[in-house]
Amino acid sequence: MDVEMMEVMAGMMAMSPAMSSVTAGAAASEDEGDLRRGPWTVEEDVLLVDYIDKHGDGHWNSLARCAGLRRTGKSCRLRWLNYLRPDVRRGNITPEEQLLILELHSRWGNRWSKIAQHLPGRTDNEIKNYWRTRVQKHAKQLKCDVNSKHFRDVVRYIWMPRLVERIQADSAAAAVVTDCGVEVAPLPATRTMSSPAGAYHHHQQLVPMPAAGASHHGGGGDGDASSEPIHVVTMSPDDASSRLRSSLPTEAHCAQFTLPSLAAAAANGVVGEVAHACGGESRPSVGDDVIHGDVLSGSWSELLVATTGREDAGGLPDFDELGDFEDNSLWSLDDIWLQQQC
DNA sequence: AACTCGGACAACCGCCTAGTG
DNA sequence: TCACTAGGCGGTTGTCCGAGT
């Protein structure tokens, strides 16, 4: 464990009230058997990070023993993957990420780890939590099941277009004001977003989905829909020193998203691309209200009235006016993008 | 100021699958 | 072929914290 890592750990302790506040609580269960349970202490985190730093991960059960951790291998693995891993991104789910989650969930359902593969730095746990707390909340407001056709319609014809609108609006603002030192052209659907993972430079591309099994997770790897074009977002950390600091919420960076035309997508098979911008000083981003919450914050009834322009919308818009689509034909970003262009 | 409630998220649990002897 | 083990994954629970009353 080098000094830098220790500094990072201290920073993480400072930013994680749960971690610091539960240290005493975790000790209460320390004597229950040989294995500890409950929240991890800073000391345990240091042990785990230190060991993995020196020996790498994997073989979690033996790793837990060798590292001197009185934890199950599973617990160590989870702690590492969901919290301590250097490239874990923390903070609010951006509109782009929301859009991607909605899109991918429409394809794969609750395949959280599979979805997470396309959102670098985001863990399956985080995406799962997002879905349960945000998306299912909206479904509940609509008094319908999250997997129902009605809710899928709402997502496709209201939520996702609004996300796209937000992304476009933010991109327009970003074209005027950017603190990244990078010229951002006012292209459609181009925006600058903020992210708490400030230490990273993101190179995000929407490219054809890689072959099944390319996942670092190794398990599963079912190749369903693997031939479909899909977002693949890659990230490359600048340097080791910044990695864990990326979890600090005060830092931000900018990344530029570009969603090219369908024509271009059809021509080269690339649905879109997200160009990287820069790291830099933290500042409130454009569309901060969105980034810190849902685009669909506010009541659904208001939203539906606003969308349909009818007071008597009756809870759901008249989707028949919006075009046909098969019941089992879920939306795609292409559809949303096309709709926005009309 | 005290209390309640809901959101957010870390952590655990149980099941499944792949690998190995 | 079968049993065992490790790892992965999705579902669920527990806890903290902030907003609202």
Side-chain angles (χ1 to χ4, degrees), chain A residues 164-323:
Chain A
V164 173
E165 285 174 10
R166 274 294 181 177
I167 293 168
Q168 290 175 322
D170 292 350
S171 74
V176 177
V177 179
T178 174
D179 61 348
C180 298
V182 174
E183 187 77 21
V184 181
L187 296 171
T190 302
R191 71 177 295 268
T192 297
M193 72 171 186
S194 74
S195 162
Y200 289 97
H201 285 187
H202 298 227
H203 299 276
Q204 309 192 338
Q205 287 187 307
L206 309 184
V207 299
M209 189 170 173
S215 160
H216 70 279
H217 286 299
D222 49 316
D224 52 321
S226 61
S227 61
E228 301 172 51
I230 203 162
H231 302 63
V232 174
V233 189
T234 59
M235 304 169 73
S236 53
D238 294 295
D239 56 71
S241 69
S242 67
R243 288 181 303 172
L244 277 177
R245 288 198 189 95
S246 68
S247 62
L248 295 176
T250 56
E251 294 186 351
H253 82 291
C254 303
Q256 173 187 337
F257 273 65
T258 302
L259 296 176
S261 68
L262 281 176
N268 58 21
V270 175
V271 175
E273 70 174 12
V274 181
H276 144 76
C278 70
E281 293 297 316
S282 172
R283 67 170 179 85
S285 70
V286 289
D288 209 41
D289 55 326
V290 175
I291 289 176
H292 285 265
D294 290 339
V295 168
L296 294 186
S297 59
S299 78
W300 276 95
S301 58
E302 291 174 5
L303 173 63
L304 292 174
V305 168
T307 304
T308 61
R310 300 203 308 262
E311 289 287 345
D312 60 346
L316 282 174
D318 185 357
F319 294 112
D320 290 338
E321 296 176 1
L322 297 170

Side-chain angles (χ1 to χ4, degrees), chain A residues 9-126:
Chain A
M9 295 301 298
M12 293 174 66
M13 180 171 61
M15 65 150 282
S16 173
M19 188 188 293
S20 57
S21 64
V22 298
T23 304
S29 60
E30 195 164 354
D31 292 331
E32 294 174 7
D34 209 29
L35 293 175
R36 290 171 50 84
R37 290 178 58 189
W40 280 63
T41 66
V42 177
E43 291 77 16
E44 288 177 308
D45 283 343
V46 170
L47 278 174
L48 183 57
V49 171
D50 187 29
Y51 187 89
I52 292 176
D53 196 40
K54 289 189 174 76
H55 304 94
D57 60 8
H59 307 287
W60 294 103
N61 282 332
S62 59
L63 183 153
R65 285 193 303 271
C66 296
L69 289 162
R70 291 159 61 187
R71 294 274 183 174
T72 65
K74 276 189 174 187
S75 183
C76 293
R77 174 183 165 272
L78 215 56
R79 182 65 178 170
W80 173 253
L81 292 178
N82 288 341
Y83 199 85
L84 298 174
R85 197 159 44 104
D87 56 348
V88 167
R89 268 182 87 193
R90 316 197 72 79
N92 299 295
I93 305 288
T94 65
E96 288 83 359
E97 289 173 319
Q98 290 181 39
L99 199 57
L100 199 47
I101 290 171
L102 293 173
E103 155 77 1
L104 296 181
H105 187 275
S106 74
R107 296 189 185 192
W108 299 326
N110 297 353
R111 305 291 300 278
W112 308 118
S113 63
K114 192 176 178 70
I115 293 171
Q117 290 170 22
H118 299 279
L119 289 105
R122 299 295 186 185
T123 68
D124 55 352
N125 211 31
E126 192 171 13

